[in-house]
Amino acid sequence: MSAAYKQRVAEVDELLGQERLDVKKIRKFSFEHGLPEGAGRRATVWKILLDYLPRDVAEWPKCLAKTRKAYGEFVDEIIINPHEQTNNDHPLNPNPDSQWNAYFKDNVVLSQIDKDVRRLCPDISFFQQATLYPLPSLASGLETLSDRVERTCLESAQVQTSRMGLTTNTQARSVDKDEIEPYKLLARGQEAHWQVVERILFIYAKLNPGISYVQGMNEVIGPLYYIFANNTPKEWQEHAEADAFFCFTSMMAEIKDNFIKTLDDSACGIGAMMVKLMKLLQGYDQPLHDLFVEKQSLSPQFYAFRWLTLLLSQEFNLPDVIRLWDSFLADGHRFNFLIYTCCAMIVVQRDQLMANDFSHNMKLLQNYPDIDVHVLLAKAMEIQEKHGLEPLDLLSV
């Protein structure tokens, strides 16, 4: 462990050791330096930045007890009790308010969630490993959501094609044995981390019917849950599911418009963010902007749509995504710094982009090459400091 790293650890521990936290200083440190690993430091800071934990540390036990109890009630109502309710109904009941009718509609959403979470962060084994804190009701025979998908061989014809450029089968879906088999290694009463994430997303969809679940949300919650359930104190790991749910809900309150197709061209939609990105590129590097807009027509819809919607979670490996999120979550005008970072991604590849044709450049942007994210962040901060738009200007584009 280097002296510089030890210094960072000491600074964070000092910031978190106060009875009343100085959130401004915590935000500044996270934004500029990133957070050191271990002892749940990053999990704590992310919860603070997402307003899940209050400034007064003495209030944490009361606040956490309240939210964790509330999540337990959501699980009882949405995951456990519906089994009892549908048992008192008939599957062929034509009433729109029938519990079975709602159950079948939920299956369409659940089918897409299940398909997405199974492939969450495939480069690491964490999400396929068993959680130490499975849902207690599983031990008494409660069916997991993934078992529900497998058992019913859900039909997912109504699931829409991904807006992030990912292929989604829109035909009637039967569960593929090769897809399910690798996940049958856990004993009864156990569940993998991906199954916990599946439950979080399903509960979110049920509690937020206006947006429900859209493909890509799994990529947003992945880093959150990973941080809360990994390398943290035992008590925090035990309640990682509840904590991740509320922090995910907090994030979605800020970015959900990006997932609503009807808002794409509105002032708060993903289209406006892409306009801001191109305006920022124009102000920083006019020739490069002209290449994109006039010479090669490299539309941001074909690369930046995914960058912005998923907070770059699919463009880099998980450790790099986590470091980027240290800055994104600490951004005082969340998520403006994300736009600066996307601009930096284009700028640092300038030589390659200027020297090559449309096909090569589009492939580069859609399959972004490996890069030191600290170099990328430094460039983004340079653009923000020297050539950036003021927050109000960005918001008014």
Side-chain angles (χ1 to χ4, degrees):
M1 184 183 294
S2 67
Y5 183 82
K6 290 180 179 179
Q7 178 64 26
R8 287 175 59 212
V9 169
E11 290 183 38
V12 172
D13 288 345
E14 182 179 358
L15 289 170
L16 296 178
Q18 307 299 314
E19 293 182 1
R20 181 171 175 81
L21 301 175
D22 189 330
V23 177
K24 185 176 181 180
K25 288 184 178 179
I26 293 173
R27 189 183 299 276
K28 185 175 186 295
F29 185 94
S30 179
F31 182 84
E32 294 179 353
H33 307 291
L35 299 163
E37 301 286 348
R41 296 181 184 90
R42 178 173 277 117
T44 302
V45 172
W46 282 17
K47 291 173 185 178
I48 293 167
L49 297 177
L50 289 168
D51 296 322
Y52 184 57
L53 291 176
R55 296 186 179 205
D56 291 329
V57 176
E59 296 180 8
W60 288 8
K62 180 180 178 180
C63 292
L64 290 173
K66 181 179 179 180
T67 53
R68 290 165 178 174
K69 179 182 177 182
Y71 184 76
E73 292 171 353
F74 295 154
V75 172
D76 288 340
E77 178 183 348
I78 295 171
I79 305 298
I80 301 174
N81 287 341
H83 291 268
E84 300 173 2
Q85 295 168 358
T86 51
N87 286 337
N88 295 325
D89 198 357
H90 193 283
L92 299 182
N93 187 344
N95 189 334
D97 296 327
S98 163
Q99 292 293 335
W100 275 105
N101 185 50
Y103 178 82
F104 293 138
K105 288 182 178 179
D106 289 344
N107 283 350
V108 176
V109 176
L110 181 56
S111 176
Q112 186 63 61
I113 295 175
D114 184 80
K115 188 173 184 178
D116 292 344
V117 295
R118 287 177 182 272
R119 58 192 180 202
L120 185 60
C121 298
D123 294 336
I124 63 173
S125 63
F126 171 80
F127 287 97
Q128 281 70 51
Q129 296 173 6
T131 174
L132 297 176
Y133 305 99
L135 192 65
S137 300
L138 295 177
S140 58
L142 177 70
E143 181 181 53
T144 66
L145 295 178
S146 54
D147 287 340
R148 172 173 159 180
V149 172
E150 180 181 1
R151 175 178 56 80
T152 55
C153 294
L154 299 179
E155 188 173 287
S156 59
Q158 299 178 48
V159 177
Q160 298 297 316
T161 301
S162 166
R163 300 174 65 219
M164 264 58 74
L166 302 174
T167 302
T168 301
N169 180 16
T170 58
Q171 301 300 317
R173 179 193 176 205
S174 59
V175 177
D176 192 300
K177 181 178 178 182
D178 293 335
E179 178 183 349
I180 297 295
E181 196 65 34
Y183 302 94
K184 283 190 171 182
L185 302 176
L186 301 181
R188 177 175 175 173
Q190 291 186 319
E191 59 181 342
H193 289 291
W194 66 266
Q195 292 174 298
V196 179
V197 173
E198 180 174 38
R199 184 162 54 247
I200 296 172
L201 290 171
F202 183 65
I203 291 175
Y204 177 84
K206 289 287 288 180
L207 293 177
N208 297 270
I211 185 172
S212 186
Y213 172 79
V214 179
Q215 189 175 23
M217 290 181 182
N218 59 307
E219 304 294 345
V220 175
I221 195 174
L224 279 176
Y225 178 78
Y226 175 82
I227 290 300
F228 295 168
N230 190 48
N231 199 20
T232 58
K234 180 179 178 181
E235 178 188 359
W236 290 60
Q237 291 185 37
E238 183 178 357
H239 298 286
E241 180 178 349
D243 296 347
F245 169 82
F246 283 104
C247 288
F248 173 71
T249 300
S250 177
M251 283 188 67
M252 286 303 301
E254 300 183 46
I255 66 173
K256 65 181 179 181
D257 290 350
N258 297 342
F259 290 88
I260 302 175
K261 189 172 184 179
T262 55
L263 296 179
D264 279 358
D265 297 324
S266 69
C268 59
I270 190 66
M273 293 186 72
M274 290 188 286
V275 169
K276 295 170 190 175
L277 170 61
M278 298 313 293
K279 182 175 180 179
L280 189 59
L281 179 62
Q282 182 180 24
Y284 185 80
D285 192 328
Q286 184 71 51
L288 186 56
H289 174 270
D290 292 344
L291 173 75
F292 271 62
V293 175
E294 298 177 5
K295 297 179 180 179
Q296 295 189 5
S297 298
L298 293 163
S299 172
Q301 290 185 342
F302 297 117
Y303 58 91
F305 187 101
R306 187 175 69 188
W307 293 1
L308 294 165
T309 303
L310 304 184
L311 312 181
L312 299 179
S313 61
Q314 284 198 324
E315 312 313 314
F316 304 97
N317 60 40
L318 186 57
D320 288 342
V321 171
I322 289 169
R323 171 59 191 95
L324 290 170
W325 282 28
D326 285 343
S327 294
F328 294 164
L329 296 181
D331 181 10
H333 299 276
R334 215 161 39 216
F335 285 90
N336 279 357
F337 189 68
L338 169 64
I339 301 175
Y340 291 110
T341 306
C342 291
C343 184
M345 290 171 66
I346 297 174
V347 171
V348 297
Q349 300 295 334
R350 187 184 197 280
D351 292 345
Q352 283 259 21
L353 293 166
M354 295 296 288
N356 287 286
D357 60 11
F358 171 88
S359 178
H360 177 279
N361 289 341
M362 186 59 72
K363 183 177 180 181
L364 181 148
L365 295 168
Q366 292 180 339
N367 301 276
Y368 201 79
D370 291 337
I371 187 174
D372 184 341
V373 292
H374 296 93
V375 172
L376 188 63
L377 286 167
K379 177 59 70 174
M381 292 177 186
E382 176 194 320
I383 296 172
Q384 182 185 45
E385 179 180 355
K386 296 182 179 179
H387 303 276
L389 302 171
E390 292 297 324
L392 290 178
D393 292 332
L394 271 175
L395 294 173
S396 63
V397 172

